[in-house]
Amino acid sequence: MDIKKYEVLLNALDKGVFAHACEDLGYTQPGITHMMKSTEQEIGFSLLKRNNRGIQLTQEGEAVLSLIRELVKVNDRLNQKYASLRGVESGKVRVSSFPTVACA
């Protein structure tokens, strides 16, 4: 299983719809849809309920969500450790601003 698929899944769940996740991740909507379908085929059950209002987790998806989040966090920490051992600082930087300032 590709960890990137889990990262896309979590982003899509946070946004509620595939279209908004596309904007953040740089994928097309059909690309994300294909990723999620192939993930569900690999694991053998549906993770998501899709409708015209967005996506929601199935009961099985709810059961594994915390493990998926943990797996993605551990993968991020591992990549940061690799970078640190190479002498490179890595991580996420979040910048916030007031909407009136951000548009300028």
Side-chain angles (χ1 to χ4, degrees), residues 2-104:
D2 183 11
I3 194 80
K4 191 67 180 169
K5 291 179 181 180
Y6 288 136
E7 291 171 351
V8 169
L9 171 67
L10 293 177
N11 191 292
L13 285 171
D14 289 343
K15 301 296 180 192
V17 292
F18 289 150
H20 293 161
C22 295
E23 296 168 7
D24 284 354
L25 301 172
Y27 290 105
T28 62
Q29 187 169 346
I32 289 181
T33 300
H34 177 73
M35 269 190 205
M36 295 303 99
K37 284 183 181 179
S38 71
T39 299
E40 290 173 335
Q41 287 175 348
E42 282 182 50
I43 62 176
F45 56 86
S46 293
L47 292 170
L48 299 170
K49 292 182 244 177
R50 299 156 178 88
N51 60 39
N52 59 352
R53 290 172 285 155
I55 57 171
Q56 294 178 329
L57 285 171
T58 62
Q59 202 170 20
E60 295 84 0
E62 290 278 354
V64 297
L65 181 62
S66 63
L67 292 171
I68 291 172
R69 286 192 193 279
E70 187 177 328
L71 179 64
V72 169
K73 284 180 187 177
V74 168
N75 185 62
D76 286 343
R77 287 199 320 258
L78 180 61
N79 286 330
Q80 286 177 4
K81 187 63 172 181
Y82 288 153
S84 174
L85 292 171
R86 289 189 312 266
V88 178
E89 287 288 325
S90 72
K92 292 182 181 179
V93 175
R94 294 202 170 125
V95 178
S96 64
S97 175
F98 294 106
T100 53
V101 175
C103 69

